[in-house]
Amino acid sequence: MQRRSVDTVEVILHAAGRLLVAQGYARTSTNQIARVAGVSVGSLYQYFANKEAVFRELVRRHHEEVHALVEAHLREFADARRDPVEAIDRLLRKLIELHERNPRLMRAFARELGALRDQRPGPRAADREAVGVVEQLIRLRDDVHAEDPAATAWLLVVLVSRVSESLVHEAPLDLDSEPLLAQVRRVVAFLFGYPGKSSYSQ
Amino acid sequence: MQRRSVDTVEVILHAAGRLLVAQGYARTSTNQIARVAGVSVGSLYQYFANKEAVFRELVRRHHEEVHALVEAHLREFADARRDPVEAIDRLLRKLIELHERNPRLMRAFARELGALRDQRPGPRAADREAVGVVEQLIRLRDDVHAEDPAATAWLLVVLVSRVSESLVHEAPLDLDSEPLLAQVRRVVAFLFGYPGKSSYSQ
Amino acid sequence: MQRRSVDTVEVILHAAGRLLVAQGYARTSTNQIARVAGVSVGSLYQYFANKEAVFRELVRRHHEEVHALVEAHLREFADARRDPVEAIDRLLRKLIELHERNPRLMRAFARELGALRDQRPGPRAADREAVGVVEQLIRLRDDVHAEDPAATAWLLVVLVSRVSESLVHEAPLDLDSEPLLAQVRRVVAFLFGYPGKSSYSQ
Amino acid sequence: MQRRSVDTVEVILHAAGRLLVAQGYARTSTNQIARVAGVSVGSLYQYFANKEAVFRELVRRHHEEVHALVEAHLREFADARRDPVEAIDRLLRKLIELHERNPRLMRAFARELGALRDQRPGPRAADREAVGVVEQLIRLRDDVHAEDPAATAWLLVVLVSRVSESLVHEAPLDLDSEPLLAQVRRVVAFLFGYPGKSSYSQ
DNA sequence: GATGAATGAGAATTCATTCAT
DNA sequence: CATGAATGAATTCTCATTCAT
C-alpha cells in the first residue's frame, strides 16, 4: 500500500513533467496527466489538492536538488583549504549538469511555471538566502579580498544562477561552453581579488 | 475613425497590463479586459486575434523599448571617443529605469508571460543578436582588450540583461543598488582590460 | 442612384451565392458577404432586413426561374396540337439545363437552405399547385388516358422535380443522362396511355 | 457504468431530435440539448465531439434503419419465387411506415440537416450503391424484362426514395396515399415488363 | 445613402473537481 | 483506496445588427 502510493505520486509527476514540456501548463489538464500516468483522475486528487499542487511539487523537487547542490558547494567554499574559485566553478558545472539532465523540462519550468515560482520558499527567496551566506563566507575567508562583500556576494549569486540557466537555455548559441566558463572563472577570481590566477594580464 | 481604433487598442492594452499585474494571465479573461478597458469584447477581438495576442502585443511593446535602448547604447559603445565602461553602465541604469517605471508589470511579464516570451523574435533571440554585435564592437575598439571576445560578449550580455532584471525583481533585497552597480562596473572594466580604472587593487 | 442600389443588391446576392457554395449558410457571415461583395455591412442592411433575407431572396429568384419554366411548359402541355410526352421531356431538359448553369449553387440550395425552403410560396407549395394544374390538363386532353388523373399528376410532378434534381446532384454517377431521360419518357408515355410510343414491347 | 453511458447517449439523442423538430438545428444549442436531456453539457461533450456530431449520429441511426429495410427487401427482390413488383411495393410501404413513425423528425432531417447529409456514406452514396445492386438483380431475374437495366435501376431507386419522402413530407396534400401507391406500382410493373399485370389498358 | 467601428448577447466548448460505485 | 462518469461554472470567441459619422 505504501509502495503503491509512492508509485502513484511518481508516475503522476513524471507524466506532468512530460506534458508540461510538450504542451505547457495551461494546455495540460489533470485528466490528461492521469491518463498519461496510467491512473485515474480520482487518484490524482487523492495525492494532490489540485492541478497547481502537482506542478508545485514538481518544481519543489527541482529546487530541492538545486538547494542541496548549492549547500554542498558552499560548504566547500567555506573550507579554507580549498580554492574558492574552484568551488564556484564546480558548483556552476554541477548546476549545468543538473539542467542538462532534462533541459527541456528546466526550460519549461522557467517558461511555464513562473506564476508558481514566487511561492515561498522559491528561487528568489533561495537567492536571497544564498546572498547572505556567501557574504558571510567571503568575510570569513582570509584569502578572499572582496571590496564590498555584500555587493560581491549578490553579484556572485546572480552570476552563478543566471549563467547556469543561460548556458543551458541558450544552448543553440554556437558557442562552446568551456570558454564561457573560463570567462566566468576569471570574473570570479577577479571578484575574489585573485587577479594573478587566470587573468589575461598575466 | 483612425483616432477611435488607436484609442481602443490603447485602452485594451492598458487594461490587460493592469489585470496581468493584479491577477495574472490565467485569471484574466478577455471579457474582463474589455470591461476594465470600457469597451466591448467584440472590439477586443476586432483588434486582437485572441487573448494571447493581447498580451503578446504588450510584451512586444516592452521589447521594442528595450531594443531601442540597447541599440542606442551600443552606438555609444561603438563610439571610440567615449568610455566603453561608461556606456555599459549607462545602459544598465537606463534598463533599470525602464523597469522601475512599472516594476510590478515587469515582474508580471517575467512571471506570467514566460510562455509567450519564447516567440521569435523574443528576448532570447534579441540576446543572441546582441552577443554578435557586442563581439564585433569589442574587436573594433582598440582600447578594449578582451581575451576572448566571443565569450566576453556573451558574459557581458548575460550580465547586463540578468543584472538589470535582478536589480528590479529582487528589489526587496535590503541592498542599495549603487554598490551593486559599482561592482558590475568593476567587472565590466575588468572584462575590458581596464584593470586600473576602478579596481579594488589600485 | 436607382442604378447603384440595383447593383448593390446584385453584388450582394452574387457574393452570398458564392459563399454559400464555398462554406455553407452557417459559416457565412453578413460581414463576409459584404466584404466579398465590395460593399459595407451597412449597405447590406440597407437592402436586406437580415442575413436570412439575403438567402431568401437568392432562393426566391431561383424559384421564380423554375416557376416560369414550368408555367411555359404547362402551356405547351395544354396545347392539344402538341405531343404531351414531348412537353414533359422538354421541361425536364430545361430544368436540368437550369440546374447545370450552376450545379454547385443548386446543390447548396438543397443542402443548406432547407430551413428557408418551407416559406410560402416554396417549392413544396409550388409542387402542390402544379399537381392541381397538371391534373386539370390531363383531364382536358383527349389523347391522354390516365387511369387516375390525380395520382398520375402527383406522380408526374414528383418524377419531374425529383428526377431533374437527381440527374444533376448525382452527376458523378457513371451513367449517361440520355438513357435515363429516355426511360423517364417511356414512363411518362405509359402514364399517359401511350404504350405504343416507345415501350419495350413494340 | 455501461448502463449509464448508454442511457446518457440515448437521452441526449432523444432531446436533440425533439429540439430539432421544435426549433431547427441553428436555434438548438448544446446547453439546451443537455438541459432537456437532463444531463450536463459536459456529459454531452463526453460522448459527442461537438454539436454537429450529435445530429450526425441522429441521422446515422436513421440511415441505418433505412439501409436495413432496403437490404431486406432487396433480398426479397432477389428471390425468384416472389413477385418483384410486390417486393418494391412492400419496401415503399415500409419506408413510408418508417417515416410516419416520426414524420416531423423526418421532415426536419430533410429541412435542417442537409449540410450533414452529404457526409460519406450518406444517402446519396447509398442511392448509388443501391442502383448497382438493383441493376444486377434486374439482370438476374428471368421474369424482369427491362429495356435498359442500368437506367431502369436508376429510375427505380429515384422513384422509391423520392416517392417515399414525398408521400410523407407532402402529407398535407389532400390525396389519399393508396391511389398514389397503386400508380407507382403500375409504373414499376411497366418498368419490369409486366404490362398485363395491373395496367389500365388490360 | 454609405461606411465600418462598436456592440454584446449568446453559443460552443473545456476542464478542474466531485462522488457514487 | 481506485475509478471514471458526471458536473457545470467559466471562458473564449463569433457574428448579426446598430448607429455615429
Side-chain angles (χ1 to χ4, degrees), chain B residues 129-143:
Chain B
E129 190 195 320
V131 170
V133 173
V134 170
E135 184 186 343
Q136 291 315 310
L137 293 177
I138 289 175
R139 289 185 194 280
L140 288 172
R141 288 200 71 132
D142 292 339
D143 55 341

Side-chain angles (χ1 to χ4, degrees), chain B residues 88-105:
Chain B
I88 300 296
D89 185 70
R90 261 197 293 275
L91 170 56
L92 205 43
R93 285 167 192 277
K94 285 287 187 190
L95 284 172
I96 291 164
E97 220 169 73
L98 185 68
H99 278 129
E100 277 179 336
R101 231 172 45 210
N102 196 346
R104 289 161 59 65
L105 183 59

Side-chain angles (χ1 to χ4, degrees), chain C residues 95-157:
Chain C
L95 284 173
I96 290 166
E97 225 169 67
L98 184 68
H99 277 128
E100 277 179 336
R101 235 173 41 211
N102 197 344
R104 288 160 61 66
L105 183 60
M106 298 303 113
R107 221 163 314 164
F109 280 169
R111 235 177 253 161
E112 304 283 338
L113 303 186
L116 302 188
R117 186 154 66 178
D118 248 39
Q119 324 285 141
R120 237 139 311 280
R124 306 305 170 187
D127 278 5
R128 216 164 294 179
E129 188 194 323
V131 170
V133 173
V134 170
E135 183 186 345
Q136 291 316 311
L137 294 177
I138 288 176
R139 287 184 194 282
L140 289 172
R141 288 196 70 133
D142 292 337
D143 55 342
V144 169
H145 304 283
E147 208 173 44
D148 179 340
T152 300
W154 173 83
L155 188 53
L156 207 60
V157 168

